[in-house]
Amino acid sequence: MLRTLTAVACATLTLSAAIAKPHEATISADLTQTGPQINKDIYGQFAEHLGRGIYEGLWVGKDSDIPNTKGFRNDVISALKDIKVPLVRWPGGCFADEYHWRDGIGAAEERPVKVNTHWGGVEETNAVGTHEFFDLVELLGADAYVNGNLGSGSVREMAEWMEYMTSDKNSTLANERRANGREEPWDIAYFGIGNESWGCGGHMRPQYYVDLYRQYATFMKAPPGKRPKLVGSGGHTEDTEWTDVLSANIDRDMDGISYHFYTLPTSEWSKKGHATDFDNTMWFKTLERTLRIDKYIADNIAVLDENDPDGELGFYVDEWGTWYDAEEGREPGFLYQQNTLRDAVVAAVNFNIFHHYAERVHMTNIAQMVNVLQAMILTDGAEMLKTPTYHVYGMYKVFQDATAIPFTITTSKYSQGNESVPAITASIAKGEDGKLYIALVNLDPAEEATISLDLKGMKVSSLNGQILTADNITDKNTFAKKNVVKPAEFSADADDLTLPAKSIVVAELVK
Ligand code: AHR
């Protein structure tokens, strides 16, 4: 018996009620058909002034013994360049609504020391400010997503920051930027007007925020062609009210609405679950939780389709990822957590969902880039390691700016008790290089899957690419053993395709 779960945009997903071991899935597509572009910014990252994310993780200062360029550690920058980070969001998060940009310009020794009240109450030296952030994105070859302070700032402060960053005139502010070492204005891809304004950004109601947004956005002026995409601070989890109120009441100067969703294994903020010590039950619960974002995005897009039928507004998932209990012995406010094969599967499942909604989802930022939450990289002094999540970003980079190919998938279920999720999720796209790529994820930690490809428009004989899996669900990379979880080569005949348990494959479809 087959039951249709979703029928949206470019793919449909159906579940078989029959218990199949191994799993079975059929993927059908006409490879000559095309869907929306998968915006490269879906692979964006988030770097907040939080814990050891910026300080230590990225920035060590020019005088550090750790090899660096302009204060940013070379090893971390080089690793991040390898996964082609397209976009970095900064300076927060909750931190953004307490950040005053003037604290972070000028001579470093004269910058004020503040208290980072959100994240551990530690001293914030402001050693990394606007100029350093743009150094970072330039070193990475990425675009900038700057998040402004609506919660505790002012319209004037935000407008002046915009002028400081983007003006090409001989204004006092632009000349101050020049005096601080930057002649040319910077390009800003996105600018956020507040963050989580329903919570740490001011505990507002959307009706109140809407008027503030309209006021602030009016004064976000930049030279012709230089204005960033302006981002309204939206809702989270199952909420659709923020999307509704913003899209219905902001009729100019907004390019997209942000949305946040975190994957907590237990779905309880008071006891979220352990990062590395978990069993098959928690593995299932984590994936069940992460898959909820599919419905939450669909619900928000339905609201946008009603209020914005021409599709002018993007839906930006500018914070997502796993969030576990703080590691014992560490400052809880630093949100440092280890990362296992489970995080890699979470990332891949989310990418497949984002691709599915690529018509509206133009940008996302995983939280966060280094040493915080579901990080790409962990550091310990001069040492660094690449997490399983890092490797998924590396494998999926072929999907950046690719063109989605519509497909349908029929898959058996991966069940636990009375609950079930699809055993297999997938993506198909034509890469910028003209090649066809498929991504496949087997969510089940115990059962392999037989995949039937029913492809039209091109005779596909084999798949060539990479696979990420591990012996155990809890496998991770540590400073003692940095390569326990890493991609391996994968190749298979198209008519004899088996996906191992708990694995991710990204492969070219070869004639
Ligand atoms: O990513 C950590 C925090 O989570 C961000 O600062 C905030 O926006 C969210 O609540």
Side-chain angles (χ1 to χ4, degrees), residues 46 48-50 89 91-97 118-119 147 195-201 260 262 269 318-320 323 335 366-368 372-373:
F46 178 28
E48 179 167 12
H49 288 239
L50 195 177
R89 177 175 181 239
C94 294
F95 182 81
D97 277 302
H118 276 295
W119 306 120
N147 209 118
N195 167 74
E196 293 196 351
S197 300
W198 45 265
C200 63
H260 295 173
Y262 282 100
W269 283 98
D318 65 2
E319 284 184 32
W320 65 274
W323 194 324
L335 309 187
I366 192 168
Q368 298 193 4
V372 176
L373 297 176

Side-chain angles (χ1 to χ4, degrees), residues 40-204:
K40 66 178 174 30
D41 295 342
I42 283 177
Y43 291 87
Q45 301 274 334
F46 178 28
E48 179 167 12
H49 288 239
L50 195 177
R52 299 187 304 115
I54 302 242
Y55 302 114
E56 290 186 40
L58 288 157
W59 168 267
V60 286
K62 292 173 189 153
D63 300 331
S64 172
D65 290 340
I66 298 175
N68 67 84
T69 305
K70 296 183 173 180
F72 290 100
R73 45 192 300 170
N74 293 344
D75 54 351
V76 172
I77 296 292
S78 163
L80 292 171
K81 282 178 80 163
D82 286 346
I83 57 169
K84 257 178 84 184
V85 172
L87 180 75
V88 183
R89 177 175 181 239
W90 172 88
C94 294
F95 182 81
D97 277 302
E98 285 194 347
Y99 183 64
H100 300 283
W101 68 273
R102 281 203 156 277
D103 295 345
I105 58 168
E109 58 283 6
E110 286 167 24
R111 297 183 190 179
V113 176
K114 295 286 184 75
V115 180
N116 190 333
T117 59
H118 276 295
W119 306 120
V122 293
E123 288 164 12
E124 165 59 58
T125 63
N126 283 299
V128 172
T130 303
H131 290 253
E132 291 76 18
F133 169 65
F134 282 101
D135 284 344
L136 170 65
V137 290
E138 280 174 12
L139 288 169
L140 291 173
D143 288 335
Y145 175 5
V146 176
N147 209 118
N149 176 350
L150 176 101
S152 68
S154 66
V155 180
R156 177 176 176 175
E157 182 186 9
M158 199 186 280
E160 289 184 347
W161 195 14
M162 185 65 76
E163 181 184 334
Y164 182 89
M165 292 186 284
T166 63
S167 177
D168 54 0
K169 297 285 187 275
N170 272 314
S171 73
T172 303
L173 276 168
N175 284 336
E176 189 177 3
R177 180 193 71 228
R178 293 183 183 103
N180 286 332
R182 174 71 187 197
E183 180 61 33
E184 295 301 318
W186 289 291
D187 287 323
I188 310 171
Y190 301 85
F191 189 88
I193 300 194
N195 167 74
E196 293 196 351
S197 300
W198 45 265
C200 63
H203 293 104
M204 300 171 197

